[in-house]
Amino acid sequence: MRKIILLVTVSLLVLPLSGQFTAVMNLTERENKKEYQVRSDGIKYRYDFEENGMKMIVIADPEANRNAILMPDKKFVLYMEPSSSRIAMSDPYQAFKQMRNKFSEKNAGTEKVLGVETEKVEIYIDEDKVLTGWFSPELNFLVKSVNHGNGYMCELNDIEQKNVDAALFTIPEDYTEVDMKMRPVIPEPPAPTSWETINVNLPVIKEFERGDRIVFKIPDCERYKIELANEADSPSKIVRKTFKDGKELPEGKIGPASFRTDRLYGGETLSCTYYGEPGNEVVILVFEGKMKIEITPDEP
């Protein structure tokens, strides 16, 4: 009896943990084809692929709400939020989840795809079906998706359910963290504990510093231009917010925080044009360093 129990115990130990698998993901868009090596531990997952001749790795960690883009040739790592549009471009599963959150969906039943039981999900914009996805609850992953607008399709092949090495989802210690401009990341200081409000009328050109809260009204032309310059050696950072009738507008109206945040290293400049509703109030917060800011109405 002891021998039988021992044999059963050993056999259980070699079974793959729930959701763990390896596969090959094939992506097709018109005549362009791309291949990803996929590994998943049931929650985290990893893609290995090439982009313009460069080796790339994406490690997605849904629990931490963070994706890491690794560039092995340079030993760089770039961290991004899963909601980033850049992540969606390199992560078909994340693109599928973003579409589900943004638009309406219809449950089209279950279907077996490549030997895997899936839930078929159709995503609509108004009355138009734009995407169909086949999601596997067992793998906790997208097995197949078809974009009906541009013919883009991704599909898992060579699916093998087996234990996956946890080390595949860790970032090597010798990698340098970089930002979107591929600059080594300089840690940011904590946010100011207090703010000095400075009301300005356009046009304005002035150097502002950490803790300044710059406030102005959107001009009648609805369009204004902001030119930024960091003339110091250390980084400077601003965040822009917009208010209507004293209430801050949501991201759906003014874009995500990443779109409204500018961090410049020493000697860098930035010029951009923003649109808004006349009479709304714009607040620019200087979180770090000193920033020369020029704000002018941008007439058409």
Side-chain angles (χ1 to χ4, degrees), residues 96 99-100 103-105 121-124 128-131:
F96 170 70
M99 293 281 282
R100 292 188 78 173
F103 304 110
S104 61
E105 68 174 69
V121 179
E122 297 174 344
I123 298 175
Y124 290 78
D128 297 324
K129 183 167 66 174
V130 293
L131 185 75

Side-chain angles (χ1 to χ4, degrees), residues 110-119 134 143:
T110 61
E111 188 173 321
K112 200 164 189 176
V113 178
L114 301 169
V116 178
E117 293 291 341
T118 68
E119 298 172 351
W134 290 262
V143 174

Side-chain angles (χ1 to χ4, degrees), residues 214-252:
I214 309 146
V215 181
F216 67 93
K217 296 284 187 180
I218 294 180
D220 291 339
C221 67
E222 302 183 10
R223 196 166 67 177
Y224 57 99
K225 188 173 184 180
I226 297 181
E227 295 189 67
L228 308 175
N230 180 359
E231 298 176 347
D233 294 329
S234 56
S236 57
K237 172 185 170 181
I238 65 165
V239 176
R240 179 176 54 88
K241 299 183 178 183
T242 305
F243 294 78
K244 181 176 183 178
D245 300 328
K247 296 182 179 180
E248 184 176 355
L249 295 178
E251 289 191 354

Side-chain angles (χ1 to χ4, degrees), residues 177-193:
E177 183 181 352
V178 296
D179 62 14
M180 290 288 291
K181 297 181 180 179
M182 298 297 114
R183 305 169 302 188
V185 168
I186 298 175
E188 296 183 26
T193 56

